[in-house]
Amino acid sequence: MMSQNTQVYPVIWNEDSVLLIDQTRLPSEYTFVEISRCEDMAEAIKTMIVRGAPAIGVAAAYGMYLGAREIQTQDREEFLIQFEQVAQLLRSTRPTAVNLFWAIARMLRTAYETIGSIEQLKQILLNTAQTINAEDLQTCQAIGDRGLEVLPTNPDKLSILTHCNAGALATAGYGTALGVVRSAWREQRLGRVYADETRPRLQGAKLTAWECVQEGIPVTLITDSMAAHCMQRGLIHAVVVGADRIAANGDTANKIGTYSLALVAKAHNIPFFVAAPLSTVDFELASGSQIPIEERDPAEIYAVGDTIITPDGVEFYNPAFDVTLAELISAIITEHGAFAPNELQQFGTKQMVENGAISR
Ligand code: MRU
């Protein structure tokens, strides 16, 4: 196990390969998987060795470089054709988190816009992936700090409920929802985190609880069905979750179970915040109904560990994400500050026009 207060970086460039923390083995084993080929990065994303929207984006950016460096031709047109195939492989891994598509598009754009030899282009692609990695870390730190502006000021020590894992493990480091938690802890405004276990993959139990323990943040684990009860008992002062894709109207796709949390928070008059970088906003989608929802292997719900828990003859439905309607969201906390969901589109359009900060 790691010692306390060690920084967690789930995706690391290490001389000529990528090291990924193997998130399928936490919390019992803290190990790394070395990735040297684009195909292996695609598999690592699919199998959730690396997961969480921004971390998937960073991993895909490195995957694009790994694919690029294997392309043998010195002909630019041919290089771009083969590089598009690399992009297609990585795009096919997981459908919901838009950061994946955003990072791939940024790498492609770099290739199309770079003039020079193929060797120079490959080096610039590596630099771009490293920049995406570094920017995400800074962005998360900014999200964490901007979150302090909207968290309730009463009581002095907040109890914050979170769902899934939107922490350092799900980003380049620091986290989005857990970034807000980390900043609140630093400023002595946090009493405790309540972590939903997050069936079926248990990211809350395995990953969020682990991150909190590493940092010495008091954490109480509950099963997903206990959240309403905790709210009714006055144990929760705010809910903060991450996002996989936010539509232009503020509707937000996040881990399955987020929508019901938002409904219950509304019923108890508890603020419900989404924390995410602007790269998670898909300004091309008008509303959440257009967000593709990943369906995963039914084995995730019919088995617990190696034990099958259902009788024969049952059918299964295993959507990995749901969409929380904008009207249930108190604010979307980004690196540029917190927005009411209906302010997001106006801000995004202004950014795009002013400096091209959001483009895909
Ligand atoms: O299926 P996962 O584990 O990749 O889902 C992750 C989530 O839903 C996170 O809440 C989201 O990606 C935000 S991560 C900062």
Side-chain angles (χ1 to χ4, degrees):
M1 285 300 283
M2 288 169 71
S3 60
Q4 283 208 346
N5 294 325
T6 309
Q7 285 272 7
V8 171
Y9 301 112
V11 186
I12 300 169
W13 178 252
N14 184 38
E15 291 183 14
D16 70 348
S17 62
V18 181
L19 295 179
L20 299 176
I21 296 177
D22 188 343
Q23 301 193 34
T24 63
R25 292 181 179 270
L26 284 170
S28 53
E29 286 175 42
Y30 181 72
T31 51
F32 287 84
V33 175
E34 185 174 359
I35 305 282
S36 305
R37 300 185 60 240
C38 164
E39 290 78 3
D40 295 334
M41 185 62 89
E43 196 57 24
I45 294 172
K46 251 189 217 166
T47 56
M48 296 175 68
I49 286 172
V50 59
R51 34 66 52 202
I56 293 173
V58 173
Y62 283 121
M64 289 289 283
Y65 166 68
L66 295 176
R69 79 175 179 185
E70 284 193 11
I71 298 174
Q72 297 298 329
T73 181
Q74 297 302 315
D75 177 74
R76 186 181 159 77
E77 291 307 308
E78 179 55 27
F79 177 89
L80 290 173
I81 290 170
Q82 292 187 36
F83 198 43
E84 288 280 0
Q85 290 164 357
V86 172
Q88 201 40 44
L89 172 72
L90 288 160
R91 279 192 204 105
S92 68
T93 52
R94 296 192 72 187
T96 303
V98 78
N99 308 62
L100 175 87
F101 303 93
W102 174 87
I104 293 169
R106 185 160 160 188
M107 295 293 284
L108 275 177
R109 205 168 55 245
T110 302
Y112 278 97
E113 288 172 1
T114 300
I115 302 160
S117 71
I118 298 295
E119 285 321 303
Q120 287 166 334
L121 173 52
K122 288 178 182 175
Q123 182 57 46
I124 287 171
L125 287 169
L126 174 58
N127 298 347
T128 305
Q130 288 176 307
T131 303
I132 289 173
N133 198 350
E135 282 176 0
D136 187 67
L137 184 58
Q138 282 178 355
T139 296
C140 286
Q141 284 160 345
I143 290 169
D145 290 355
R146 299 307 298 254
L148 298 177
E149 296 163 11
V150 288
L151 284 180
T153 49
N154 188 27
D156 289 347
K157 301 275 187 195
L158 297 171
S159 283
I160 295 178
L161 174 66
T162 192
H163 189 66
C164 193
N165 172 267
L169 288 165
T171 60
Y174 204 74
T176 55
L178 275 194
V180 176
V181 161
R182 282 196 161 88
S183 294
W185 179 245
R186 188 193 66 218
E187 297 302 317
Q188 299 181 12
R189 288 179 58 189
L190 181 75
R192 169 164 305 277
V193 171
Y194 280 82
D196 271 353
E197 71 171 345
T198 318
R199 276 275 289 160
R201 296 282 303 206
L202 305 179
Q203 291 94 329
K206 293 182 171 178
L207 308 179
T208 296
W210 179 81
E211 282 197 39
C212 289
V213 169
Q214 298 307 312
E215 298 241 349
I217 298 174
V219 57
T220 299
L221 184 69
I222 56 174
T223 68
D224 302 342
S225 51
M226 296 172 188
H229 169 81
C230 291
M231 290 186 198
Q232 194 182 47
R233 288 283 161 110
L235 297 175
I236 310 294
H237 306 119
V239 181
V240 187
V241 298
D244 286 86
R245 195 185 293 225
I246 303 173
N249 71 344
D251 289 351
T252 295
N254 191 50
K255 181 52 55 192
I256 193 78
T258 303
Y259 177 38
S260 47
L261 264 192
L263 287 166
V264 177
K266 180 104 177 168
H268 291 89
N269 211 15
I270 293 169
F272 182 94
F273 300 109
V274 170
L278 275 183
S279 56
T280 302
V281 185
D282 187 345
F283 288 98
E284 286 166 17
L285 297 189
S287 78
S289 60
Q290 296 165 282
I291 298 175
I293 299 294
E294 177 182 11
E295 279 185 45
R296 293 189 63 86
D297 187 340
E300 290 182 351
I301 52 176
Y302 69 61
V304 173
D306 292 334
T307 310
I308 294 179
I309 57 168
T310 57
D312 288 345
V314 180
E315 292 181 12
F316 303 96
Y317 177 47
N318 184 20
F321 302 95
D322 60 24
V323 174
T324 298
L325 301 179
E327 69 211 41
L328 300 171
I329 298 170
S330 310
I332 298 176
I333 304 165
T334 75
E335 65 273 33
H336 294 279
F339 297 91
N342 62 7
E343 293 170 344
L344 201 59
Q345 182 150 35
Q346 205 185 356
F347 179 78
T349 312
K350 195 163 152 259
Q351 284 280 300
M352 281 191 271
V353 171
E354 276 177 11
N355 56 15
I358 311 157
S359 47
R360 56 177 63 91

